[in-house]
Each structure stands twice: as C-alpha cells, then as structure tokens.
Amino acid sequence: MQVIIPGEPMRYGLRLIAYAPIGPRLGVLGQHLGFEAGMPLNDVPSLRLTYSTHAAGAQWLAQPCEIAVEWSAGGAWTEPQGGRFLRIKRASYATDFAGPLSFDAPGWSWQLRKLVLYPGAGMVDGKRPFNGVTPGTILRMVVDEGQDRGTLPGLAVDFTQTPDSAGQPWDKLLTIRLDPGADLLTLLINLAKQGVLDWTMQGRVLRAFNEGTTLGGDFGTGPAPVDLRMGRDVDDAPDDATLEDASSAILIVGENGLQVEVTNPSAVAPWGRWETYQSQSGVSDEGTARLLAQHALDRASGERVQHTPQIRPYAAHWLPLKDYRPGDTVLAPGDQGVMQGLRVRQITLSCDADDVIGGNLVLNDRFLERDIRLARRSLGILDGGISSGGGGGTPAPDTDGRVPATPGGLLVEPAAYLDEHGYAHGQATLTWGAVTEDVNGVELSIDGYEVYTRRNEANRPWVLVAQTDSADRTATISPLVIGWEYSFKVRATNDGTKGVFSPQFVVFIPDDSTPPPAPSTPVVAARLGVIHVEWNGLGSASEQMPIDLDRVHVWMKDLLNSADLGVRVGYLTGAGTEVIPGQPYNADREIWLTAEDRSGNESGQSGHITVAVTPLMETDLIGEIIDGADHIISGSIPADAKIVANSITASLIQAGAIQAGHIQANAITADKILAGAIQAAHIAANAIEADKIAANAITADKIAATAITGKTITGSIVRSGATGQRFVLDSATLDLRFYPAGNSNYSRFYAFDGLYPGETTTFITSGTNQSGSARAELQVAAGLVRLDIRQPSSSTRKGGGLDVAES
C-alpha cells in the first residue's frame, strides 16, 4: 500500500491485487501483514506474503489465485514486468489466534515448466533438430504445439518467428537439437545464459527480446544519469568480495596432444602465480584453445564482487520500477563506495504490516557483466549452435556410391583472440545440421563431414580446413585474418563419395573489441611555462595493463574555454613523463589520460587533475618601492609614477640588496649587461641552475667546441635543431624521432619494456605515405620479428604482415 502524510502527495506506494486464475480482477489485498517480492532478470520472480484469515480478501487466498504487485509514484497504479505471482503454496500457524497464513508464490513464469517439448517429425538421434532458425521460431513452435494440446491456455506470446517483442528482427540464428521432454522455462533460462535473448512476463504475456536491448537500458552515462547516491537513494551497501577463483595462468589440454598455456600478467597475485587446468575434449585448434584460455583467465583475474545496496524509496530521487528496472545499468556505489556503472540484476521490494516500504538491489559491475559475456562465448565455442553474423532412422542396406544430401543450418560465429605477443587474430566456430539421407531422400548413414573456406573474393580457391566424424557437427578454425571476410561451406562424405555442399555462409572476422582499463590518475607538476605529466604504467585499480596496450594518450583542456572539450597533447607507450611546453601563467589546465590498444579500442578516462603554471616571482611585489634600501612600503608608488630611464645606477644599489627572488623572469636581457661585466669569477659554483636559464637563451654559438665532450647530458628531451632537418631524443619514452628537412612526417625508433615480461622490444616506424593512409612498423623482440602495414593514426593492421617467430 502506501504511507500517507497529511497535506503531501504520495511519494511511493505498493499494493497487492488478487486475480482469478486466468480470470478477472478480484480486488485489493489491503490488510496484509507484510510481503516481499523479488524480481530478477531472466529468471522466475518470487513473492512471500503473510495474511490473516480474518482480513478482508482472505477468501480469495483460500484457493488458488493470482497475485499482482503494483506500484505508484503519485500517479496511476502499474503492474511491473515480472510482477504477477501464483498462489500455489501456503502454510498456517494453528496456535496463533490471529489466523495468519504464509504464502510462497512463484512468478507466473513458473508455470512455463509445465509446458514440455514432445517428439515430432524429423527426429535425429532421438532429438528434435532446428537448423539455422531464430529463437522466436523455436519458442513459438514449443508454445503453439503445447497449446494445441490444451496446455497453458492462459499464456499469451507477443513475439513471432521474425521480430522480437519490441518489433525488432531477431539478431541471432540457432542450429540446435532439443531432447523431447525439455520444458519451456528451462529453454528460456538456457538461451538467456548463452546471450541469445532476454525474457520476462507482463502479466500473463511472455515477452522475449534481443539480448541487451529492451531489457538492457544504459542509464549510467550521459548528461543526466540515474545516479543512486549513498544516503539519498540507497544506504547500507555491503559488498561481498572473494579471490577464491583467481588465477594468473591456465593450461588448456585438448585433442591430439594439444597443450596451450596462457598467462595473465595483469591478474591479482598477492601470493605469486596461481594456476588452473582445463581439459577441453574436441578442441584440437591452438587458436581456439588460446581464446578459451583467455576467456577463463579474464574471468579469474581479480576479486568477485557483488553489491547489494538497500533502497530508500521515501528519500530517493530515483525510484525502482519507475526510473530503472531489472536489466538496466545505473550509476551506483560500487567497490569501496566508488560510483560506477552497475547493472541491476534483481530488485527486491518489501512492505511491512505498517505499510512501510523498503528493499534492496543486486548489482553487477561492468567487470562481472563482461565475465558473463565471456562465459557465454566459451559455451558457444564448445557447444556451437549460435550465430550473430551472416546469413535417427535406420540406414538403408546399400550405401555404396550414394551421394549424401546437403547439410542444413550452417552457422558461423566469428571471434577475436590475442596471441602471446598481444596481437589479435580471428577464429570461427561452425555448426551445422545432421545429414541422414542421400540426395533422393533415402536414409543414409554417413561417415563424416568436410569443412572448406576461402577469402570471400572472386576466383579465390577453396581450402579444406577441417574434417569431423559423423557424430561431430562442430568445427573451430584459426588463425584467421582480422578484417577479412570469409566464406564457409560443409559437405558430408559416404565411403569416399562426396556429398552436396551446403549454401555458403559469409562472415566478417572482427577485430578485438575489448578496451584496456582506464589508466591510473597521473601525477602532474608545472613550472616556468611547462607541465610535466607522469604516469606509473598501471590501470585505475592498480592493475597491470594488458599485453596489447599500444599507448596512453595525454589530454588537456582549458577550463576557461567552454568550447574546449579536450585535445590530445602527447602520448606515452609505458610508464614515464610527457612534457607539455608553452603554457601561460596562472591559467588552469585540466589533465587526464586514456589508454588505447593495438586494435584501436580506447579506455575510459583516468582521474582528472587541474594545474596552473606559476611565475617565478610573486606578483604581490609589483607596485612597491624601496624605503631607505631596507624594505618596501605597500602602496607608496602611485599608479602614474614612473622611474626615469637610467636614474637607478649600480652605485645606488646596496651590495646584496637585489637577490634572485626579486628579479622577474626574463627582466634582465643581454642588452642591459655591460660587455665583459660578468666574468667567471663573479659566478659562484652551481649558482646558475637549469630553471634560471630561459628557453633558447643558450644558443650554439655560446658553447665552445668540445665543451660537452666526454660529459653526460641529462634532461627529458634532446634536439639537434628547433626546425628543419633534425632528430629529437626523448629519454622519458626511449623515443628517437627523425624529421626530414621539408616536412614533419617523421619516422621513429623506440624501445618498450612492457610488451613481454622481462624483455625489451625495439620498434621502428616509418612516416605515413603521401595520401596519409598507411605507415610501416617493424617490431624486433627476442622471439619475434614482426613487419606490418598499419593505419597512420593507430596500431590497426592495414594490408599485409610478416612474422618471423622462434617456433
């Protein structure tokens, strides 16, 4: 119900409504003794209710009925998705004269387990086959067949074989076989776990959507995010965290003696290396094993954290079910109370006997959401049957020379993985339907399948890339070239007789799409018109950066310029310092970092730091005069007062009266110093420091020949010239750049020690070509020499490549 304060509108209310089974509304259950409703994403909701047998409406609960939870925020009452429950289980307390009854009511979707798949035509090995169909096709067939038998007549469905419940075309196809007896609820939960769809109930209507769309609104970003603030929207936000599942190395053992070890240098390892082992039958391809290992290690790289903040609906700015629902992403206190984007996995609302409302949320951070998606990918690789790209009988006695029929339902799901050097390669998982007949429709027992592929270009030759036995209708292929489009086809074989090829399935091999973590907050210092930005080489959570890190961009923004959204002013390839010269005094600059990997994925922003370059001399000394050569009297020189040129001579200044701190930067120029006045004997040892010398003040003609011979030059940057043909050596990044005489299209020679553990890697990059579309890069490591053509502004491959590796 609701809390009513005289003179104020209702802030937030809950109530219960009774319905007849598959029937009309009966009325409000207004005299309850308390209830709690849990509404999860992609699972069965639950309701716990206590009600007195003497209260109004108790007669409705004395028999099976439906109970709906409704909410209101001052307007109409609304039944949320997943808010309809079944009164099918009760308990009573015979010694309590108040006659309370306790009810455990599952969500209406609980009934979907009562609708099962029956055997049908075209059974293969005792299973119902579905070849290359949408999720809606499978679900509607199960529902329609069941309702034709009279099962669940009150169930309605608002999706079809073609669009989902939001009217959007299904974005995935499936080739699967289902056992007779599989129930509709289990099928829905399994499809949701594999990332095929999201589902829920609206009253008695089953709704299904493309995964992460309608039931995956992102309200945690943008100019007005749904921000659940501590003390306002939520409080008492416990975090449960564990390192029990953490590992930094995994050994994958597959078929035919395949063994692949993959390590994760960024994993949390306070006690050193932790290992895990995974046996994968059916995996004989190294790229697939490496992809599975990376998925497993990514899921085990750090703490598992679950957030369960308590809701404060009477004080909250954002209200559950009104402003956010299960599946939505909101901005909420995460680990250690830091605000971050978290996905709502469950909303639980409670109402006590005094109608006071409370509840809690179950939230997953983006790290755990990524874990869930990685687990789905691994399941798809091992089991096959899903694609988001492109498009048993008794055998006859005579099989010789008979041509097997075309395999149906070929699906190909592409993915990207990183090799041991941090470069992305492609992998594809193929699944197809069983062939049980020859081309004339006569039953046939085949002996295997052949998989062919080629680059999807005219006149390219087809290549046999995999062979499986008759019981194996899944194949994994790697390595494939990132950014290429491939065609695949499969055929069955029968005692040497080749069958008819399936229709071609064309897929684009995607690049790695996982960005690196946001860099840690930089350390920023400013002096004499120069800003120094130092980065420690770690992520925002003090984790190691991934193996495919390419560079960390340095961004700067003028806080007084509303049109300035920030520009890149430099970059680092590892821990070090970037120098930003030429900054005006006392002007605030905002500095932050982002990380970019070799595939061009860019991270979120690091913490922002504001800094201003300050002048050498305190400005409050301006406008003061000398009193008796002892001190300055404030305000004693009026604004219109002037000092006559040459009126203050050297003889009028007391010895030692003018110290270095009294002289404004650049105030004494060369034309003010008498020729020969300053001799070596006048300059104390170490009296002139680097920060006392103006930029460009010492030119080449001021340095005697051989003056630097045999000496060590320290500093961040050494240049052979300011313009024109020159080289620039940056010691902070171990970077040597060569500029030609006529332009700034430079080439680079640099070293990086974070690519492979304990090893320094050397890079040589050319300038860009005349059209600005490509550049060349040579990488020289201890066990690898790699030559690539790349995009001019990123590390994305463009064109050919050559690897010379130790193995």
Side-chain angles (χ1 to χ4, degrees):
M1 291 292 287
Q2 56 185 302
V3 174
I4 299 177
I5 302 175
E8 293 187 10
M10 179 181 63
R11 170 63 176 162
Y12 193 70
L14 297 173
R15 71 179 185 182
L16 302 177
I17 306 295
Y19 288 83
I22 322 176
R25 182 179 188 271
L26 299 175
V28 178
L29 296 169
Q31 298 180 3
H32 61 80
L33 300 177
F35 67 86
E36 181 180 84
M39 289 162 279
L41 174 66
N42 294 327
D43 211 335
V44 180
S46 62
L47 172 69
R48 308 188 80 177
L49 166 66
T50 304
Y51 212 86
S52 172
T53 55
H54 307 301
Q59 71 276 14
W60 300 324
L61 296 173
Q63 55 193 345
C65 67
E66 299 176 10
I67 306 171
V69 173
E70 293 185 346
W71 66 271
S72 175
W77 290 95
T78 302
E79 180 181 334
Q81 295 181 138
R84 185 71 63 96
F85 303 88
L86 304 172
R87 204 295 271 161
I88 58 175
K89 183 180 179 182
R90 64 182 176 85
S92 61
Y93 305 90
T95 59
D96 192 332
F97 294 105
L101 293 176
S102 176
F103 301 94
D104 286 318
W108 208 97
S109 57
W110 177 89
Q111 289 191 91
L112 303 182
R113 68 177 59 192
K114 300 299 185 180
L115 194 161
V116 301
L117 178 67
Y118 275 33
M123 300 281 286
V124 177
D125 297 332
K127 300 178 184 290
R128 294 281 298 270
F130 297 90
N131 294 329
V133 298
T134 66
T137 300
I138 300 174
L139 295 175
R140 285 305 300 257
M141 192 214 69
V142 175
V143 172
D144 293 345
E145 287 185 359
Q147 292 190 324
D148 287 344
R149 299 189 299 267
T151 307
L152 297 186
L155 174 66
V157 178
D158 69 351
F159 56 85
T160 69
Q161 298 179 3
T162 307
D164 68 1
S165 292
Q168 298 301 310
W170 290 105
D171 61 5
K172 292 181 176 63
L173 298 176
L174 294 88
T175 292
I176 61 175
R177 295 180 298 155
L178 298 178
D179 290 304
D183 65 80
L184 180 58
L185 178 60
T186 300
L187 179 59
L188 283 166
I189 292 175
N190 286 342
L191 290 177
K193 285 182 178 179
Q194 294 188 55
V196 176
L197 52 76
D198 291 324
W199 66 275
T200 187
M201 296 290 299
Q202 182 67 64
R204 303 178 183 119
V205 180
L206 173 61
R207 313 197 71 200
F209 307 91
N210 288 317
E211 189 268 337
T213 56
T214 302
L215 298 187
D218 187 359
F219 302 133
T221 58
V226 175
D227 54 337
L228 305 184
R229 296 289 175 179
M230 190 75 73
R232 183 193 69 182
D233 304 273
V234 298
D235 56 17
D236 189 18
D239 297 334
D240 294 325
T242 178
L243 282 169
E244 293 172 302
D245 297 326
S247 295
S248 57
I250 184 170
L251 177 65
I252 298 285
V253 177
E255 301 285 357
N256 304 322
L258 175 68
Q259 294 187 15
V260 175
E261 183 192 64
V262 175
T263 60
N264 183 1
S266 64
V268 175
W271 289 278
R273 173 176 163 127
W274 281 4
E275 300 175 335
T276 188
Y277 176 93
Q278 188 169 315
S279 177
Q280 293 292 0
S281 61
V283 175
S284 58
D285 172 76
E286 180 177 348
T288 299
R290 193 169 294 279
L291 177 58
L292 291 172
Q294 287 170 354
H295 287 178
L297 281 184
D298 284 344
R299 297 196 302 271
S301 62
E303 282 188 320
R304 310 294 88 193
V305 183
Q306 177 176 285
H307 315 282
T308 54
Q310 303 296 309
I311 301 172
R312 305 185 66 199
Y314 300 119
H317 179 71
W318 306 104
L319 298 173
L321 303 180
K322 174 181 179 291
D323 299 308
Y324 58 92
R325 291 151 293 277
D328 292 338
T329 297
V330 298
L331 193 64
D335 196 16
Q336 307 299 318
V338 177
M339 297 293 286
Q340 57 184 284
L342 305 173
R343 194 175 190 195
V344 181
R345 282 282 159 183
Q346 178 168 315
I347 295 176
T348 300
L349 297 174
S350 62
C351 187
D352 65 16
D354 297 322
D355 293 329
V356 176
I357 299 171
N360 61 72
L361 309 175
V362 176
L363 305 176
N364 270 4
D365 59 28
R366 294 189 187 278
F367 184 66
L368 291 183
E369 286 298 316
R370 181 169 177 267
D371 287 356
I372 292 170
R373 293 182 181 274
L374 289 174
R376 290 169 176 170
R377 288 187 197 172
S378 298
L379 185 61
I381 292 168
L382 295 175
D383 293 345
I386 300 173
S387 175
S388 56
T394 303
D398 183 14
T399 62
D400 292 342
R402 293 167 56 198
V403 178
T406 301
L410 174 63
L411 298 177
V412 183
E413 178 68 2
Y417 69 95
L418 301 178
D419 65 15
E420 66 272 26
H421 302 290
Y423 285 90
H425 300 282
Q427 181 263 6
T429 300
L430 290 76
T431 308
W432 58 90
V435 174
T436 59
E437 300 175 341
D438 66 11
V439 291
N440 297 315
V442 180
E443 292 183 356
L444 176 69
S445 180
I446 66 166
D447 51 29
Y449 298 92
E450 296 179 341
V451 177
Y452 284 77
T453 188
R454 71 173 183 178
R455 188 173 182 181
N456 190 36
E457 293 179 348
N459 302 319
R460 287 275 184 167
W462 287 94
V463 179
L464 176 65
V465 291
Q467 292 177 293
T468 71
D469 60 32
S470 59
D472 189 359
R473 292 180 293 278
T474 299
T476 54
I477 313 299
S478 75
L480 302 173
V481 179
I482 293 295
W484 281 15
E485 197 174 60
Y486 285 85
S487 292
F488 294 90
K489 61 183 180 180
V490 63
R491 69 183 177 189
T493 61
N494 169 41
D495 293 334
T497 302
K498 309 299 185 182
V500 180
F501 276 114
S502 67
Q504 298 178 33
F505 196 106
V506 178
V507 295
F508 178 82
I509 305 301
D511 203 345
D512 170 45
S513 60
T514 303
S520 61
T521 303
V523 176
V524 180
R527 183 176 176 84
L528 293 177
V530 176
I531 298 176
H532 296 260
V533 181
E534 182 181 356
W535 179 53
N536 63 5
L538 301 177
S540 58
S542 297
E543 71 270 42
Q544 296 291 325
M545 299 301 279
I547 192 173
D548 61 335
L549 178 71
D550 182 62
R551 63 187 62 190
V552 169
H553 297 284
V554 180
W555 295 78
M556 185 173 71
K557 173 183 177 181
D558 182 355
L559 290 177
L560 297 180
N561 183 359
S562 60
D564 186 0
L565 301 179
V567 296
R568 289 184 176 93
V569 292
Y571 69 89
L572 299 164
T573 55
T577 302
E578 176 70 11
V579 177
I580 310 174
Q583 299 304 304
Y585 288 141
N586 298 318
D588 284 342
R589 295 290 187 261
E590 188 173 341
I591 307 293
W592 69 92
L593 307 175
T594 61
E596 183 179 349
D597 64 21
R598 293 197 180 98
S599 297
N601 303 304
E602 191 162 359
S603 73
Q605 300 177 4
S606 71
H608 290 222
I609 298 293
T610 299
V611 66
V613 177
T614 57
L616 180 66
M617 187 175 186
E618 293 292 338
T619 57
D620 59 4
L621 295 182
I622 299 173
E624 308 289 343
I625 66 168
I626 298 175
D627 177 27
D630 290 328
H631 62 273
I632 299 172
I633 303 174
S634 298
S636 58
I637 298 180
D640 58 351
K642 296 181 176 58
I643 298 176
V644 178
N646 302 315
S647 62
I648 300 180
T649 60
S651 61
L652 300 178
I653 301 174
Q654 183 179 1
I658 301 179
Q659 314 245 345
H662 301 145
I663 303 173
Q664 184 178 0
N666 303 319
I668 301 178
T669 57
D671 60 341
K672 301 299 189 296
I673 302 174
L674 182 64
I678 300 179
Q679 314 236 350
H682 298 145
I683 304 174
N686 302 318
I688 302 179
E689 299 177 348
D691 60 349
K692 301 301 189 296
I693 302 173
N696 302 316
I698 300 178
T699 57
D701 60 339
K702 302 297 191 298
I703 302 175
T706 72
I708 307 180
T709 301
K711 305 300 182 181
T712 299
I713 301 176
T714 60
S716 178
I717 297 176
V718 177
R719 296 180 176 88
S720 64
T723 60
Q725 180 172 307
R726 66 194 185 280
F727 71 81
V728 178
L729 176 62
D730 189 339
S731 62
T733 59
L734 296 180
D735 186 343
L736 178 59
R737 302 183 186 183
F738 299 92
Y739 290 82
N743 58 64
S744 59
N745 190 6
Y746 61 83
S747 61
R748 296 178 64 202
F749 182 98
Y750 65 99
F752 183 51
D753 64 357
L755 192 57
Y756 311 118
E759 179 183 335
T760 299
T761 305
T762 303
F763 288 85
I764 300 176
T765 64
S766 73
T768 61
N769 57 6
Q770 187 173 6
S771 61
S773 62
R775 62 180 175 87
E777 177 185 270
L778 174 65
Q779 175 193 151
V780 181
L784 174 72
V785 176
R786 170 165 286 159
L787 178 62
D788 283 305
I789 304 299
R790 299 197 176 277
Q791 294 282 0
S793 59
S794 72
S795 59
T796 303
R797 281 186 170 181
K798 181 177 184 180
L802 174 66
D803 283 1
V804 180
E806 179 182 10
S807 58

